[in-house]
């Protein structure tokens, strides 16, 4: 009887051990299999330039000092920091862990070369050739003269055909410094004053939610394009003028009708005009 019990306990132990090993094999492989080396080791210090060639847009992103800029029409515009950060991080995470072909005659089958990213660092220049999408977030790609086509994880997060310029107007980055707002439409001026944490219109206290919603629209106001300051506009007189007074400065922002779908936003703060979609200006007129 004791002998049978010992056999039963031994078999149970072996079964439990087998099941534990079976279900943990993926975990063991994950932490014991050597990781494929990253293809890039980019930092803000060692990287000097990106050339992005998309199907509908080509742009050069350069570093001047410690800041990134987009060159366009002989001028430099501040680059969108989030897009540049995503670009660098995505490239640093790339590896050739999943190679799908080493036949250079099959590059066209994967769409290789439809879009290109050239990266310049202090020591070298490297070229990443992008291909068709793979799954929900990856793309086929190959690097430099290497014929191997691999699956580049998260490459779809690089919006290569989107404008890398910072299109946020930044007319109000720190709302805590705001002291007053004056909104002028059709010759009628409405001035809102801040007293500690309360906003007033004359002697009337305003609902904080309403003012916060308006301030949030100002903080997040984003252009669809940036154009020359001397560009022709449909109308000369501003439809809307907003005067902001903060602890550091006073600024005047005019919105002039540019075309049927947008307004030109101009201010002494900027040497150019921001094109603002009509729907965004409409929210500031309410």
């Amino acid at each position: 009887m004791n002998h049978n019990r010992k056999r039963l306990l031994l078999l149970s132990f072996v079964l439990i051990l087998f099941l534990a090993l079976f279900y943990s094999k993926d975990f063991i492989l994950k932490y014991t299999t050597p990781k494929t080396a990253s293809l890039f080791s980019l930092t803000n210090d060692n990287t000097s330039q990106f050339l992005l060639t998309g199907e509908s847009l080509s742009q050069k992103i350069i570093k001047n000092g410690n800041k990134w800029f987009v060159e366009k029409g002989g001028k430099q515009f501040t680059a969108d920091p989030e897009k540049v950060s995503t670009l660098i991080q995505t490239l640093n995470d790339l590896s050739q862990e999943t190679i799908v072909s080493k036949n250079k005659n099959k590059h066209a089958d994967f769409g290789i070369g439809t879009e290109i990213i050239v990266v310049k660092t202090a020591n070298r220049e490297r070229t990443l050739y992008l291909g068709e999408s793979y799954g929900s977030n990856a793309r086929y790609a190959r690097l430099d003269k290497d014929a191997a086509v691999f699956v580049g994880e998260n490459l779809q997060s690089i919006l290569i055909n989107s404008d890398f310029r910072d299109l946020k107007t930044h007319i109000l980055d720190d709302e805590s410094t705001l002291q007053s707002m004056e909104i002028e439409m059709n010759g009628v001026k409405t001035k809102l004053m801040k007293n500690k944490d309360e906003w007033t219109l004359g002697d009337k206290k305003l609902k904080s939610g309403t003012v916060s919603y308006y301030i949030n629209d100002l903080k997040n106001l984003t252009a669809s394009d940036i154009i020359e300051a001397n560009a022709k506009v449909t109308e000369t007189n501003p439809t809307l003028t907003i005067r902001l007074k903060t602890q550091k400065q006073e600024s005047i922002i005019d919105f002039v009708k540019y075309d049927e779908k947008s307004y030109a936003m101009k201010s002494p703060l900027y040497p150019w005009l921001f094109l603002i979609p009509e729907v965004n200006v409409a929210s500031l007129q309410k």
Side-chain angles (χ1 to χ4, degrees), residues 13 15 19 112 141 144 150 164 168 209:
F13 175 77
L15 179 61
L19 290 174
I112 296 297
D144 296 331
F150 60 92
F164 264 66
K168 285 194 70 173

Side-chain angles (χ1 to χ4, degrees), residues 49-107:
Q49 182 175 293
F50 295 97
L51 293 173
L52 308 181
T53 303
E55 291 186 291
S56 60
L57 181 65
S58 296
Q59 48 197 326
K60 179 191 288 187
I61 305 168
I62 63 171
K63 190 175 66 176
N64 190 346
N66 291 320
K67 294 184 178 181
W68 289 97
F69 297 87
V70 177
E71 278 194 353
K72 185 174 182 179
K75 293 181 173 60
Q76 291 186 4
F77 299 88
T78 302
D80 186 318
E82 291 185 9
K83 288 184 178 179
V84 175
S85 177
T86 298
L87 174 62
I88 292 175
Q89 186 60 54
T90 302
L91 293 179
N92 281 340
D93 290 341
L94 279 184
S95 71
Q96 289 183 321
E97 186 173 354
T98 305
I99 294 177
V100 295
S101 174
K102 292 187 177 182
N103 187 344
K104 65 179 181 180
N105 296 319
K106 290 188 176 182
H107 287 173

